[in-house]
Amino acid sequence: MRAPPSPTASDPGNGDGLMHPVEITFDALLLFSMVVLAWQGVHARNMFRAVVSFIMFGLLTAVAWVRLEAPDIALAEASLGAGLTGALLLATLGRLAPERRGARRPKVVKLSTLPWLTMGLAGTTVLLAVTLTLPAPGLGEAVLAAMPAAGVDSPVTAVLLNFRAWDTLLEIGVMLLAVIALWSLGQDVLASKPRLPAPALPALVRLLFPLFVLSTFYLLWRGGHGPGGAFPAGALLAAGLVLALLAGAQVPERMRGAPLRWALGAGLFAFLVVAVGLMWAVGTFFAYPPQHASILIAIIEIAAGLSIGVMLTALFLGGEPTDIKGGGK
Amino acid sequence: MTVFYLAGALFLLANVVVALARVLRGPTAADRMLSGELMGTTAVAVLLLLYGATGIEALLDVALVFAILAAMAVVTFVRRTWPEDPAADDEGESR
């Protein structure tokens, strides 16, 4: 995903090409905090400290993307990093045995530091050299030139769901495969007992859940003409569903089995129906006729957003919900 | 005015660095989690100030997403990760 090329992308400062000292200090402080947090996330001996550092690193990464004028990526990082990734890591930590939570494997063997450092430096140098030799305007201008036929106003959505829709289809397919693989490993692990009673939590979730659903559809709608779209929207929906599960909600009886599986597959299904249908109607796989592109993209986006939300929740569940009663509460 | 917003954002980021010290020092898991939440709230304010400085509307959406997701980490922590002895230092070596 790449931010829409904006006229100010080359000079994020105040227009005269120079950054204000306040901006430079801000960026330096941001970088410093990110390096400290990244180091802690990898090297902290205490696992909880590492997880909290990682969550905070995600927060600051989103701010860094904002500073780089890439709000689309900032939105994706915010919705996935602040919500589901943190919840998954914390829940996993809670399932580890207490003695494994504190201690981590002994520190990296000193002897291997030198080769790794050399390889890391060499890799960074190569990447830097490659970055410098990239064609300067990139593909931004090609995308902008093709925008009139895209059916949406946002260049990022146009790339994701029109020009490179095939890639997005495969991404959704990979997510579905991950859910299938995880569900094959065993039954849901949600049955683990809550560690603290939280009497106010169900009331809070009842207040918050409609807001999550509202924001999900807001981001879906926003994806048509600005940063937003199926992935951040799906992540928000998943966060709302996970919050409900944490508050003690159960997967409704009538949703289990076939309806849930259809919801999981809806995104990939819509994608494939559109792609194959177009092959039948127009003759080319995934070539939208420009006059129908808008509505086709909207259908795919809604189906993909909902099914991404359900898939991420399914990953948090850790297995297909069973008929066994009990669990949360 | 732009410089004013940026200076405000810088001040809040300095607060984040102070919260960072608490995340690193602990001593209990709840201390780390709460300073993490403080950083989340501060990030929302930083984004809103950056919106004031740059006028990119998408920053409001990012701030909205952060604000609505603020409850996630702490709810998961309370329901799934809460330590058996909350007062205990959670460093591995003290167990």
Side-chain angles (χ1 to χ4, degrees):
Chain A
M1 226 181 347
R2 192 160 284 193
S6 66
T8 55
S10 53
D11 58 332
N14 37 19
D16 55 4
L18 281 173
M19 291 218 302
H20 195 275
V22 177
E23 281 184 286
I24 296 172
T25 323
F26 184 91
D27 292 349
L29 208 55
L30 188 62
L31 266 178
F32 166 77
S33 315
M34 283 176 74
V35 169
V36 171
L37 283 171
W39 181 262
Q40 284 297 319
V42 178
H43 281 272
R45 237 174 310 166
N46 170 348
M47 278 221 193
F48 184 77
R49 191 160 127 184
V51 167
V52 173
S53 300
F54 181 77
I55 298 174
M56 297 312 115
F57 180 74
L59 278 176
L60 294 187
T61 310
V63 177
W65 283 123
V66 163
R67 288 294 299 147
L68 292 169
E69 303 207 348
D72 294 85
I73 312 179
L75 199 62
E77 174 66 44
S79 52
L80 278 167
L84 217 69
T85 317
L88 269 175
L89 286 172
L90 283 170
T92 310
L93 203 57
R95 288 176 50 78
L96 291 177
E99 62 272 12
R100 286 186 57 199
R101 253 188 275 162
R104 287 173 50 149
R105 53 176 164 48
K107 297 187 91 174
V108 186
V109 186
K110 282 281 184 282
L111 274 177
S112 65
T113 309
L114 191 66
W116 282 117
L117 198 68
T118 323
M119 277 169 66
L121 281 177
T124 314
T125 317
V126 169
L127 277 179
L128 197 67
V130 169
T131 312
L132 289 176
T133 54
L134 279 178
L139 288 170
E141 288 182 8
V143 169
L144 286 183
M147 280 308 289
V152 285
D153 297 332
S154 159
V156 174
T157 309
V159 169
L160 286 180
L161 289 177
N162 193 340
F163 307 147
R164 301 296 303 170
W166 174 241
D167 294 355
T168 312
L169 187 155
L170 291 180
E171 271 174 42
I172 304 238
V174 166
M175 275 185 77
L176 191 60
L177 275 180
V179 172
I180 293 171
L182 190 68
W183 279 18
S184 315
L185 291 177
Q187 294 182 333
D188 61 331
V189 292
L190 192 74
S192 59
K193 216 169 106 256
R195 290 181 176 267
L196 270 188
L201 191 56
L204 173 77
V205 172
R206 245 173 255 140
L207 279 175
L208 277 182
F209 191 71
L211 287 178
F212 275 95
V213 176
L214 184 67
S215 316
T216 301
F217 281 95
Y218 167 68
L219 285 182
L220 274 177
W221 165 77
R222 192 96 169 94
H225 51 270
F231 277 92
L236 264 192
L237 182 65
L241 291 172
V242 166
L243 208 57
L245 289 172
L246 286 171
Q250 297 279 317
V251 182
E253 207 74 53
R254 62 177 186 284
M255 278 294 294
R256 294 177 189 189
L260 190 55
R261 292 178 178 203
W262 272 104
L264 284 169
L268 192 64
F269 186 70
F271 250 119
L272 285 175
V273 165
V274 169
V276 176
L278 284 172
M279 194 160 74
W280 175 72
V282 188
T284 318
F285 189 68
F286 245 133
Y288 304 122
Q291 67 271 28
H292 299 307
S294 200
I295 183 77
L296 289 175
I297 287 178
I299 291 171
I300 291 181
E301 185 125 67
I302 291 172
L306 294 181
S307 117
I308 287 170
V310 180
M311 284 194 278
L312 290 173
T313 316
L315 289 175
F316 183 84
L317 272 175
E320 183 158 14
T322 48
D323 290 332
I324 301 160
K325 286 278 175 189
K329 196 183 273 182
Chain B
M1 204 56 186
T2 305
V3 175
F4 173 74
Y5 285 132
L6 282 172
L10 179 64
F11 174 71
L12 287 175
L13 194 67
N15 277 316
V16 167
V17 175
V18 176
L20 191 64
R22 187 45 76 188
V23 170
L24 300 188
R25 286 186 58 194
T28 69
D31 290 321
R32 299 186 207 280
M33 197 68 235
L34 277 179
S35 49
E37 288 296 301
L38 173 68
M39 280 170 85
T41 313
T42 315
V44 174
V46 167
L47 285 168
L48 291 177
L49 284 170
L50 286 180
Y51 164 72
T54 61
I56 304 173
E57 280 177 15
L59 299 197
L60 294 178
D61 292 342
V62 182
L64 168 81
V65 166
F66 268 147
I68 201 167
L69 290 177
M72 283 298 289
V74 81
V75 168
T76 320
F77 170 68
V78 166
R79 295 292 271 189
R80 291 281 183 268
T81 328
W82 189 257
E84 278 79 8
D85 180 8
D89 181 327
D90 67 350
E91 292 292 341
E93 54 264 37
S94 69
R95 279 184 182 276

